[in-house]
Amino acid sequence: KKKSKKEEKPRSAKSKPSLYPNPVTSFGTLRSRYGISRALAENIHNQGYTVPTEVQLGSLPLLLGSPTDALGPHALGQNGAEKEASQNSVTSLDLLTVAPTGSGKTLAFMIPLIHVLQQLRRQENQDVDVASKKRTHSGPKAIVLAPTKELASQIANEGRKLALNTGIKITYVKKGMHLQQSDEPQEEDENGVPPVKADILVSTPLSLLHAVGDEPKDCAALAHIRFMVLDEADVLLDPLFRTQTLTLWNSLTSPSLRVSLWSATMGSNIEQLAKETLATRRSALSLPPSP
Ligand code: ADP
Ligand code: MG
């Protein structure tokens, strides 16, 4: 049996040791600890969630961080160190989570996503000329990808319940949907259907690729994406989906893109897949291999 250093140390009877930094032991503490909005806190409560599951208590602190951390270390300012960090973030992951099916991964990524987008919104509204009271919508900020339509629509539904009254709009993107193609003022399409206004797009890779058009890199709907979540990432990076997933990933050009991968444990070779993916990305961007 391997004995780690940690295990040899005497444990204090009072503090139960935890594998995770600052575990969240109750959803009720999220508001005081991380400043999540009243609406988000109420939605969590009204859904009947009180005690976080293991995957939630471990990942929530990492993704919520302190109010400024949550936007990422590179979100604010552009001095030398931050520039370097932001270049690194192009080929790095925020988080790779492997946890069994049914362990509550959806909540674990949706809560931080909604929180951070609310913070971004607040920041944007401060920047807007207060006198004009103009509220801008600069397009989707986050993408959640899942391998099947059923899963994607479930995630969107669960997300909407959490996003009630937060001002964050979650859209399940179906094939044939009309996403904004340019930064020009938005027009209705030939059928009189207005373009989708959303903060979070939830979709399968294939449906999203259909919706963004032939040149995803030029699609305005992807131009402001700051967060990408790959749910069932082991499947999204397996040979069947890999090309589509990577086409979308490589179309996201924000220097402060933050990516998290979520995967079930069974038969998952996600760590290897993630390494290969990031290595491919580094070479595609002509960066030296990571140490
Ligand atoms: P996973 O994606 O890890 O397979 P899900 O996110 O689909 O798991 O969650 C499985 C079920 O557990 C869902 O019905 C969800 O509402 C429920 N659930 C998630 N977190 C909690 C929690 N903290 N307390 C009670 N139920 C929860
Ligand atoms: Mg899931």
Side-chain angles (χ1 to χ4, degrees):
K1 246 189 184 175
K2 254 204 312 196
K3 251 193 180 179
S4 78
K5 243 185 183 172
K6 228 186 198 168
E7 283 171 329
E8 282 159 12
K9 272 189 201 161
R11 285 171 183 171
S12 108
K14 268 184 263 171
S15 62
K16 212 174 139 198
S18 171
L19 287 163
Y20 314 103
N22 311 313
V24 173
T25 50
S26 148
F27 285 116
T29 62
L30 288 182
R31 185 155 158 76
S32 59
R33 252 171 85 168
Y34 300 109
I36 68 165
S37 68
R38 187 180 299 277
L40 179 53
E42 279 176 7
N43 295 338
I44 295 168
H45 176 79
N46 292 342
Q47 290 295 305
Y49 301 125
T50 50
V51 182
T53 63
E54 187 175 0
V55 65
Q56 292 161 358
L57 69 84
S59 59
L60 285 171
L62 297 173
L63 292 173
L64 289 166
S66 74
T68 42
D69 283 353
L71 293 178
H74 359 289
L76 314 158
Q78 275 288 333
N79 65 35
E82 280 160 358
K83 246 184 206 153
E84 199 177 308
S86 95
Q87 273 159 17
N88 287 336
S89 81
V90 174
T91 54
S92 69
L93 293 177
D94 277 335
L95 192 65
L96 165 62
T97 307
V98 183
T101 301
S103 60
K105 294 191 283 294
T106 317
L107 215 59
F109 59 73
M110 280 319 289
I111 291 173
L113 211 48
I114 293 167
H115 170 63
V116 173
L117 294 187
Q118 279 196 289
Q119 287 189 309
L120 268 181
R121 173 70 53 79
R122 254 175 247 139
Q123 229 174 44
E124 278 180 3
N125 284 350
Q126 275 168 15
D127 296 343
V128 169
D129 180 8
V130 183
S132 76
K133 291 216 171 100
K134 218 165 60 183
R135 291 195 71 182
T136 53
H137 191 276
S138 51
K141 294 285 197 308
I143 291 178
V144 178
L145 292 179
T148 67
K149 292 176 193 172
E150 291 73 22
L151 203 55
S153 107
Q154 269 172 32
I155 294 167
N157 286 336
E158 198 166 337
R160 280 191 207 108
K161 290 179 200 159
L162 292 167
L164 222 67
N165 301 319
T166 62
I168 299 303
K169 187 164 184 232
I170 300 174
T171 298
Y172 165 53
V173 180
K174 292 183 224 180
K175 228 181 237 180
M177 242 171 173
H178 176 64
L179 288 175
Q180 190 187 349
Q181 293 297 316
S182 78
D183 275 326
E184 299 295 303
Q186 302 186 29
E187 284 171 23
E188 297 179 346
D189 73 4
E190 59 271 28
N191 302 317
V193 182
V196 174
K197 273 192 185 171
D199 301 293
I200 303 175
L201 303 173
V202 188
S203 188
T204 66
L206 194 62
S207 298
L208 189 58
L209 279 172
H210 273 263
V212 297
D214 294 337
E215 294 292 339
K217 269 207 172 80
D218 301 333
C219 178
L222 298 186
H224 306 286
I225 299 292
R226 296 269 301 267
F227 304 91
M228 182 174 75
V229 171
L230 300 186
D231 193 20
E232 311 273 331
D234 50 332
V235 183
L236 287 177
L237 293 174
D238 82 7
L240 198 63
F241 289 93
R242 191 177 176 76
T243 308
Q244 298 163 10
T245 303
L246 293 187
T247 301
L248 285 165
W249 193 342
N250 289 332
S251 308
L252 308 178
T253 52
S254 165
S256 48
L257 178 69
R258 319 204 73 195
V259 180
S260 63
L261 269 53
W262 304 77
S263 166
T265 36
M266 282 295 289
S268 166
N269 57 342
I270 182 62
E271 216 174 321
Q272 186 57 31
L273 276 174
K275 272 185 197 152
E276 282 168 20
T277 303
L278 293 178
T280 313
R281 212 168 138 72
R282 289 192 79 87
S283 75
L285 295 164
S286 317
L287 292 170
S290 63

